[in-house]
Amino acid sequence: MSNEAIEKVHVLIIGSGPAGYTAAIYAARANMKPVLYQGIQPGGQLTITTEVENYPGYPDGIQGPEMMVHFEKQAARMGADIRYGLATKVDFSKRPLRVEIDEEKWIEADSVIISTGASAKWLGLESEQRLNGFGVSACAVCDGFFFKGREVAIVGAGDTAAEEAVYLSKLCSTVHMVVRRDQMRASKIMQERVLNTPNIKVYWNSLTDEVLGEHKVEAVRLLNTVTKEKQDIPVSGFFVAIGHEPNSGIFKEFIDMDETGYIKTIPGTTKTNVPGVFAAGDVQDKNYRQAVTAAGSGCMAALDAERYLTAEGLA
Ligand code: NDP
């Protein structure tokens, strides 16, 4: 690592979803001069959703991408330095903390807020990608409402899929749950809840062959791996709930994570195992994963960073 061209930053925020921007708003207002790198998907996961109706303060709802523009504008107005760029490497072994940007320059930071989010896993079908936002969704809580009274399908058999299937069953007429094996991975209690819900129909040993529809989802074609039979089920919505991947790879060497890569924080705080490094939003939350909870934890991270810097005499 060269020592040339190292920029010094007080609070470095990595990631630009609700957690990162909220941290930036709070840090800027506290005069901590935050620098925020937006990452590969400026605005985060909300930029690939359509309407957001459950974020408080928008009584008529708002488009996800537009809401993230609001977040960015607010952070910029408060004085946050918002930049394009991707954190590509870190060195948290000593102080100041070091973060490499775009594989070309290093930044030295007194504190770092990791808000790199998580990415939904997808099946990888062309039709799934083409109809994304037109009936295909990876978030039942975000988009289930749009399918009120209609039939939907959900793929997956973990706790998320089970929880989302039950959630959808309260809104939709029928939920067709597509399970690739002859059993579910979800906890027993969640499985029971699914199996005891009359309007959830489980398709065991079933793969999604194709999502059907020209401009919006009209049906899903399933392949039974035992009988090799295919069947088309008319649905208006197709939910993918096969897990998320936290965007935490570059921190692995230094930051404690669970076995699936979610950053561990000290409960009730955003503190990681490295003093001065805080984590907020989906990269440390596999449970709630909502814009509003991410924003809340971004606020917490800024406050935690401020207290840390004051205690260390770095404020
Ligand atoms: P998981 O990794 O637990 O489950 C993913 C599911 O998707 C599995 O059933 C898997 O099938 C299935 N799957 C994966 N790839 C495909 C594919 N290509 N086609 C079809 N099916 C596929 O992810 P979750 O998001 O459900 O949960 C993540 C973690 O969060 C877990 O530890 C879970 O317990 C926890 N969680 C806890 C909650 C709670 O306590 N309230 C709520 C939500 C999550 P297979 O089983 O065959 O591998």
Side-chain angles (χ1 to χ4, degrees):
M1 178 194 320
S2 137
N3 272 337
E4 286 167 50
I6 289 187
E7 184 186 356
K8 292 189 178 7
V9 163
H10 203 34
V11 177
L12 181 67
I13 300 169
I14 310 173
S16 59
Y21 282 137
T22 305
I25 291 165
Y26 273 76
R29 291 190 82 245
N31 205 24
M32 294 196 289
K33 301 185 174 46
V35 171
L36 180 150
Y37 276 93
Q38 289 181 313
I40 221 158
Q41 191 178 8
Q45 288 189 80
L46 277 168
T47 59
I48 53 162
T49 61
T50 49
E51 199 163 359
V52 179
E53 290 186 326
N54 53 9
Y55 198 90
Y58 292 103
D60 301 320
I62 183 163
Q63 296 291 310
E66 193 186 349
M67 184 165 102
M68 294 322 296
V69 170
H70 291 180
F71 269 75
E72 180 180 350
K73 273 190 183 164
Q74 191 172 354
R77 189 169 77 83
M78 294 301 144
D81 181 348
I82 297 164
R83 304 177 183 175
Y84 288 115
L86 182 67
T88 38
K89 205 188 280 181
V90 300
D91 180 2
F92 293 159
S93 64
K94 51 186 183 295
R95 250 105 272 268
L97 304 155
R98 284 167 177 248
V99 177
E100 184 198 58
I101 304 295
D102 292 333
E103 294 181 342
E104 55 187 30
K105 79 169 207 172
W106 282 87
I107 288 192
E108 284 187 349
D110 292 328
S111 66
V112 172
I113 295 173
I114 301 171
S115 47
T116 44
S119 306
K121 290 187 197 162
W122 297 98
L123 296 171
L125 299 169
E126 178 278 325
S127 51
E128 168 194 54
Q129 204 182 346
R130 181 169 47 82
L131 295 167
N132 197 337
F134 300 93
V136 172
S137 165
C139 179
V141 179
C142 318
D143 298 328
F145 186 76
F146 303 118
F147 304 98
K148 210 169 178 182
R150 298 157 84 181
E151 297 201 20
V152 296
I154 183 164
V155 181
D159 277 325
T160 301
E163 211 168 80
E164 297 201 338
V166 172
Y167 178 87
L168 289 168
S169 73
K170 292 173 188 152
L171 295 167
C172 304
S173 56
T174 307
V175 178
H176 303 275
M177 186 169 182
V178 185
V179 176
R180 69 176 170 184
R181 290 185 290 142
D182 61 355
Q183 53 180 280
M184 291 189 204
R185 182 183 295 274
S187 53
K188 202 158 183 291
I189 184 164
M190 284 312 297
Q191 292 194 33
E192 276 168 13
R193 216 165 280 172
V194 164
L195 298 173
N196 290 329
T197 304
N199 62 335
I200 300 179
K201 190 171 174 201
V202 179
Y203 297 73
W204 303 101
N205 299 308
S206 295
L207 298 179
T208 307
D209 193 51
E210 210 63 74
V211 188
L212 305 174
E214 193 67 27
H215 303 293
K216 60 180 174 43
V217 173
E218 284 164 11
V220 58
R221 179 166 297 155
L222 301 187
L223 167 70
N224 186 299
T225 54
V226 177
T227 63
K228 308 289 179 214
E229 276 172 19
K230 289 186 181 180
Q231 66 171 314
D232 293 354
I233 303 164
V235 291
S236 316
F238 179 75
F239 290 88
V240 181
I242 60 172
H244 280 75
E245 239 162 330
N247 302 316
S248 61
I250 60 165
F251 309 107
K252 222 160 240 164
E253 199 183 330
F254 304 97
I255 299 289
D256 287 349
M257 299 174 188
D258 73 7
E259 63 292 343
T260 47
Y262 284 90
I263 292 180
K264 287 185 183 170
T265 50
I266 297 173
T269 78
T270 58
K271 295 176 188 171
T272 68
N273 59 304
V274 176
V277 179
F278 306 90
D282 286 11
V283 74
Q284 52 85 57
D285 171 22
K286 64 176 165 196
N287 198 359
Y288 300 105
R289 296 198 294 245
Q290 299 302 299
V292 68
T293 50
S297 71
C299 158
M300 288 165 65
L303 296 177
D304 284 341
E306 187 184 2
R307 286 170 196 157
Y308 165 81
L309 293 169
T310 304
E312 292 293 310
L314 295 164

